[in-house]
Amino acid sequence: MSFQQAKEAFVVTRRTIVKSGAAAVFFAPFAGFAVTSAAAQGGPLFRFGIVADPQYAPVAPNLKSNRYYSNSLWKLSEAIEAFNKEDLQFVATLGDIIDRHWESFSHVLPLYSKLKHEHFFVLGNHDYDIAGEYLDSVTRTVGMEKTYYDFTGGGYRFIVLDGNDVSTFAPPQGDPRREIAAARLEELKAGGAENAQSWNGSLSDEQFAWAEETMKKAQAAGEKVIVLNHYPVYPANEHNLWDSERIVKMLTGYDNFIAYFNGHNHAGNYGEIDGKHFLNFKGMVDTPDTTAYAVVDVYADRLEVRGVGREENRTLAI
């Protein structure tokens, strides 16, 4: 596919998304949502869907890593069909929509046009594993105005972070964030940090300040907070953000912080600090025939995670 053909393909894809409403949250203000009527009868306040790491690409599987990239098309299609049968307020994809190649977006994004619910994307490292001339186009191609943002509903504020912000791969060539990323990575390597990996990243100081101000805003409004990101921050792991420690310290300093949800580590993981939950959802791309996604039921006193396929069921007390 030539550069011009790829651009034309994404014009079609983008129009499809806008027409379908799958990314309407980014082209029109998101009005939020109220608690469901079922809450009065002891049901959940609301519920939402989670997908992590579809990581689609039209390439042969990596048998060593147990990743079957092209199979994510039918896995994601089945997940969307299942989501459409549920009363969900939204669905979030926690990054790595694709594995590589710019044209992969044009194959996987149209699947979201069948989703009947609001949808929010979080970007991952593989979403930038494309030719350099396309790096500036990733955000708008998936229908996002910004790579980090927040939205509210049901007495909660959801904070979406961008762990690619300061990295060696996402900023365009010549962007000063690349130099900052290289320095951060070198410092971590010098200290023998296990997450000193080139496929991780970090928040800019600007984004970190925004996240803290947003936490304060939520606290003042009496809102509980769930954070969504591609990268884990706790427990310690080779997949964690480079600046995971400052993020964990900041978030756990707020009583209204409830949970942090992420992907990136396809094996999944879980940690807890003083009743604050850090849940790493399993990657959809792994295995030839078993999927992985979840529905989260939000109650006044707990989060019920209903896992499908490789994803586990969990009760996270509030």
Side-chain angles (χ1 to χ4, degrees), residues 8 20 26 40 44 48 50 78 115 158 163 174 189-190 226 257 263 269 311:
E8 292 172 356
S20 69
F26 301 110
F48 59 93
I50 290 286
E78 286 190 351
L115 185 64
F158 292 83
K189 286 182 176 179
I226 293 176
F257 169 63
N269 205 353
E311 193 53 66

Side-chain angles (χ1 to χ4, degrees), residues 127-293:
D127 296 318
Y128 293 93
D129 192 4
I130 54 178
E133 61 263 34
Y134 296 117
L135 290 175
D136 273 339
S137 302
V138 173
T139 306
R140 65 176 179 267
T141 294
V142 301
M144 298 169 66
E145 291 181 354
K146 288 192 66 176
T147 56
Y148 57 92
Y149 55 94
D150 63 307
F151 61 96
T152 61
Y156 274 73
R157 185 172 296 269
F158 292 83
I159 297 177
V160 178
L161 298 180
D162 175 21
N164 311 294
D165 193 0
V166 175
S167 65
T168 60
F169 50 82
Q173 290 291 342
D175 190 302
R177 289 175 295 171
R178 286 201 175 223
E179 292 184 12
I180 297 171
R184 287 183 180 179
L185 180 56
E186 186 59 34
E187 182 178 356
L188 286 170
K189 286 182 176 179
E194 64 178 331
N195 63 330
Q197 309 292 340
S198 60
W199 28 264
N200 294 331
S202 56
L203 308 189
S204 63
D205 291 340
E206 178 184 8
Q207 183 185 171
F208 182 84
W210 170 86
E212 186 157 30
E213 284 303 310
T214 306
M215 287 295 303
K216 292 177 181 177
K217 181 168 63 174
Q219 186 177 56
E223 299 164 336
K224 296 181 175 68
V225 172
I226 293 176
V227 176
L228 307 176
N229 192 7
H230 179 61
Y231 301 86
V233 292
Y234 183 84
N237 186 274
E238 66 176 349
H239 295 85
N240 285 11
L241 280 175
W242 297 335
D243 55 345
S244 57
E245 292 182 2
R246 71 168 176 169
I247 295 170
V248 170
K249 182 179 180 180
M250 185 270 286
L251 292 176
T252 55
Y254 290 88
D255 292 338
N256 59 326
F257 169 63
I258 303 300
Y260 181 106
F261 290 166
N262 65 272
H264 193 50
N265 177 4
H266 294 200
N269 205 353
Y270 172 77
E272 179 264 330
I273 300 175
D274 297 330
K276 313 298 186 182
H277 306 284
F278 296 83
L279 177 54
N280 189 144
F281 288 85
K282 292 179 170 61
M284 177 177 276
V285 69
D286 296 66
T287 81
D289 53 10
T290 306
T291 192
Y293 63 93

